[in-house]
Amino acid sequence: MHELTVTESILEIAVRHAREAGAARIAGIHLVLGELSSIVDDSVQFYWDMISENTLAEGAQLVFRRVPVELLCLSCAQRYSPSSVELACPSCGAVQVKIIAGEEFFVEAIDIQMEGSKEAK
Amino acid sequence: MNQRISVVEKILDANDQIASENRAYLEAAGVFSLNLMASPGAGKTSLIEQTIKNLSRDVRLAVVDGDIATSLDADRAAAAGARAVQINTGGDCHLDAIMLRQALGQIDLCEVELLIVENVGNLICPANFQLGTCQNVLVASTPEGADKPYKYPGVYRGVDALVINKIDLLPYLDFDMAYFRRGVQILNPGVVTFPLSCRSGEGVEAWLEWIRESIRAFRARYGSNGMAKHVRD
């Protein structure tokens, strides 16, 4: 359910940056979501179609880049992606680990069209 | 022709900024604050009742209760002796920083030393929304099962303290404490943990002592709530 708030935030960020760049239209939005961020792509897409209507971003394509969880074992320096039922290091069993990827939660870039370009309406 | 422009801006940055304002506001007012998160039925409200019952003689306490529709939890907090403010989220699955800011406007913070925010029962959404409280606390409970850190890593990762409620039920459950703690250790190394039972009272004193100590440390850093101190003295 919090995907609505998340989607509103994405729209606000995209439109603000597009305006600053003087864009006529936003064609695409690139999102980076770590697996730890617990956001459902389909729900974001669902809300997106509703709330982007009549904005610079109407019809823009959402491109999701999912980043898997990656851990670094502080005992044996093994880098690994944990299974869904065990987080400890698969090599040495240690539990002293560092999370090095999977917490990303940001708008990476937007694709814009300028006034006068062929596709821009 | 499409032109790509780099953005790199955190989603929910706006919420985080208001959370920072809430934090600064509470610090300036000398109010130590907790955000309690848990799944429905883990015992947030019971823990709050225990806390009010045991601390309200020494500490002036207020509770902000987030709920989807009812005021049952706020009524319980009020019945236990705290001033309580209800936020009905109207279907939203979490509290956010704006909701807390509005609730803070309804409380005379001069009269408060400890503010407990009871989030909506949910292990997923609240973890993404900082409120601006001093500490985030997760209330886990043994009947939920030992696999919860593995299934909901986000909320386990982001808390400053972990309560494991309903330990009185351990003899009747297949709760693998070692497996549970291993997941917690990886996601949140060294997080302070309180196994307790709100029902029997076992372990509750350690939780209360942590709050007292946290308030002392908070006061040493940000100053005490002068008005509240005056009233009590």
Side-chain angles (χ1 to χ4, degrees), chain B residues 65-71 86-94 120-122:
Chain B
D65 245 297
D67 225 321
I68 288 178
T70 71
S71 66
Q86 174 76 29
I87 305 176
N88 281 335
T89 63
D92 252 357
C93 49
H94 60 273
V120 180
N122 183 337

Side-chain angles (χ1 to χ4, degrees), chain B residues 99-152:
Chain B
M99 294 180 203
L100 178 59
R101 183 166 71 180
Q102 286 165 350
L104 290 179
Q106 299 174 44
I107 301 171
D108 182 2
L109 289 182
C110 292
E111 297 282 328
V112 176
E113 294 160 290
L114 169 63
L115 175 74
I116 302 179
V117 181
E118 179 174 1
N119 217 309
V120 180
N122 183 337
L123 284 182
I124 303 170
C125 314
N128 284 318
F129 293 86
Q130 291 296 315
L131 301 181
T133 52
C134 294
Q135 306 271 315
N136 291 313
V137 180
L138 175 63
V139 184
S141 66
T142 55
E144 294 167 43
D147 59 352
K148 290 301 163 288
Y150 303 84
K151 294 177 95 163
Y152 303 97

Side-chain angles (χ1 to χ4, degrees), chain A residues 1-2 5-6 9-10 13 16-17 21 27 30 33 36-38 84-88 95-97 99 103 105-114 119, chain B residues 1-14 91-94 96 124-125 128-129 149-151 153-154 157 179 182-187 189:
Chain A
M1 177 64 198
H2 67 303
T5 316
V6 166
S9 178
I10 292 168
I13 292 168
R16 176 159 40 80
H17 282 264
H30 298 265
L33 303 175
L36 288 173
S37 67
S38 57
S84 59
V85 294
E86 187 51 80
L87 293 166
V95 295
Q96 279 74 37
V97 308
I99 297 178
E103 297 193 285
F105 194 50
F106 61 93
V107 179
E108 187 174 39
I110 55 176
D111 296 330
I112 57 171
Q113 291 168 357
M114 305 304 281
E119 295 93 336
Chain B
M1 264 298 277
N2 289 343
Q3 179 188 339
R4 181 162 302 179
I5 57 175
S6 173
V7 173
V8 192
E9 184 168 325
K10 263 179 70 186
I11 301 166
L12 302 181
D13 203 34
D92 252 357
C93 49
H94 60 273
D96 64 28
I124 303 170
C125 314
N128 284 318
F129 293 86
Y150 303 84
K151 294 177 95 163
R157 176 120 176 95
Y179 180 61
R182 192 156 79 237
V184 171
Q185 160 64 27
I186 288 172
L187 293 165

Side-chain angles (χ1 to χ4, degrees), chain B residues 130-214:
Chain B
Q130 291 296 315
L131 301 181
T133 52
C134 294
Q135 306 271 315
N136 291 313
V137 180
L138 175 63
V139 184
S141 66
T142 55
E144 294 167 43
D147 59 352
K148 290 301 163 288
Y150 303 84
K151 294 177 95 163
Y152 303 97
V155 71
Y156 278 86
R157 176 120 176 95
V159 294
D160 307 293
L162 171 66
V163 170
I164 308 171
N165 191 20
K166 308 190 189 180
I167 56 166
D168 52 322
L169 297 179
L170 280 172
Y172 312 102
L173 302 168
D174 294 323
F175 186 85
D176 184 344
M177 187 64 89
Y179 180 61
F180 177 84
R181 284 186 179 271
R182 192 156 79 237
V184 171
Q185 160 64 27
I186 288 172
L187 293 165
N188 198 333
V191 66
V192 57
T193 303
F194 303 100
L196 56 80
S197 164
C198 289
R199 188 163 160 271
S200 73
E202 183 186 354
V204 170
E205 183 49 37
W207 158 254
L208 298 171
E209 190 47 39
W210 177 77
I211 294 181
R212 291 188 199 102
E213 185 49 47
S214 298

Side-chain angles (χ1 to χ4, degrees), chain A residues 64-84:
Chain A
F64 296 92
R65 181 155 70 84
R66 279 281 174 184
V67 182
V69 179
E70 196 178 358
L71 306 178
L72 171 69
C73 176
L74 298 177
S75 295
C76 74
Q78 165 90 22
R79 286 169 81 121
Y80 63 99
S81 287
S83 77
S84 59

